[in-house]
Amino acid sequence: AQSVTQLDSHVSVSEGTPVLLRCNYSSSYSPSLFWYVQHPNKGLQLLLKYTSAATLVKGINGFEAEFKKSETSFHLTKPSAHMSDAAEYFCVVSDPDGGGFKTIFGAGTRLFVKA
Amino acid sequence: DVKVTQSSRYLVKRTGEKVFLECVQDMDHENMFWYRQDPGLGLRLIYFSYDVKMKEKGDIPEGYSVSREKKERFSLILESASTNQTSMYLCASSPPRQLARSLFFGEGSRLTVL
């Protein structure tokens, strides 16, 4: 069975400081993992995805995430936060081998960026 | 640019009304999805479709139905709206089954049922 846990419902950082959004997953298969971002009153946009290639994945807008199988984690990081990064972020696990569409969304982490 | 368009951004309906939410994608994707988004619960899958006239129940199909008569259009129907269906509804599409299939989302339809 799959599950995904975003460890923080809210994260607050100052502009120019690093961002860390934490995600742990559980999967019976070799998972595909994603991070999506949702700005206010908008749909979700793909930030990055892990597909069993390189464990360090680079995405858009300077974000990256590292797949750590031993820790079952896929944390999202950015070296320096920008005001425009304020949004909600969703960690997603997907079963690439299942016959259906087994995609599980985390509950989301809202990122606040202070000037 | 790829696009998923949800026709209504904001709707207010009364209990018992029939509600249609429309979604159109211009990417020629086979797969289309309807999700419901509620604070603290993330996104939950209502229904999905992998081909015209095909549909599959997701995790929370009760109280909803769907229609897919054309490849580009996927409609969500609330036969008799209830207050607990007040939510944000998100439509998404994706290409055929592949490793790490990404979802492309519309901007959402916020429904309030009074």
Side-chain angles (χ1 to χ4, degrees), chain B residues 33-88:
Chain B
F33 307 80
W34 275 106
Y35 286 91
R36 172 176 172 159
Q37 182 180 16
D38 299 290
L41 297 179
L43 274 68
R44 293 177 291 168
L45 182 63
I46 304 172
Y47 268 97
F48 64 93
S49 169
Y50 52 87
D51 202 352
V52 175
K53 296 192 185 295
M54 306 302 287
K55 60 185 180 184
E56 294 285 343
K57 292 180 180 180
D59 299 318
I60 52 165
E62 295 78 19
Y64 304 95
S65 61
V66 291
S67 172
R68 194 164 181 203
E69 296 296 319
K70 294 185 178 181
K71 188 177 186 180
E72 67 271 18
R73 187 178 299 269
F74 192 36
S75 302
L76 180 70
I77 303 154
L78 288 67
E79 293 288 343
S80 177
S82 63
T83 54
N84 63 12
Q85 292 178 309
T86 291
S87 188
M88 170 72 92

Side-chain angles (χ1 to χ4, degrees), chain A:
Chain A
Q2 294 172 293
S3 67
V4 58
T5 303
Q6 293 184 241
L7 298 170
D8 306 291
S9 59
H10 298 85
V11 170
S12 183
V13 300
S14 296
E15 192 173 23
T17 64
V19 175
L20 170 63
L21 305 183
R22 299 181 294 164
C23 174
N24 286 352
Y25 71 91
S26 171
S27 176
S28 303
Y29 303 89
S30 298
S32 293
L33 295 159
F34 307 77
W35 277 98
Y36 286 84
V37 61
Q38 184 180 32
H39 288 93
N41 298 314
K42 297 288 187 183
L44 278 71
Q45 178 186 15
L46 181 68
L47 269 181
L48 49 82
K49 63 183 179 183
Y50 166 76
T51 61
S52 75
T55 56
L56 183 62
V57 182
K58 294 188 183 300
I60 62 172
N61 300 334
F63 284 94
E64 61 182 37
E66 186 171 8
F67 173 70
K68 291 187 176 180
K69 187 174 182 179
S70 60
E71 299 176 10
T72 60
S73 69
F74 190 57
H75 300 336
L76 181 71
T77 61
K78 183 174 180 177
S80 176
H82 191 273
M83 295 296 289
S84 61
D85 295 327
E88 189 153 25
Y89 293 79
F90 293 92
C91 182
V92 179
V93 61
S94 182
D95 163 20
D97 297 319
F101 294 79
K102 299 294 183 184
T103 297
I104 306 296
F105 284 76
T109 298
R110 186 165 294 279
L111 177 64
F112 297 93
V113 182
K114 299 174 288 187

Side-chain angles (χ1 to χ4, degrees), chain B residues 89-105:
Chain B
Y89 291 89
L90 290 166
C91 176
S93 70
S94 76
R97 183 181 174 191
Q98 60 183 226
L99 194 64
R101 177 182 49 240
S102 303
L103 294 167
F104 295 84
F105 284 88

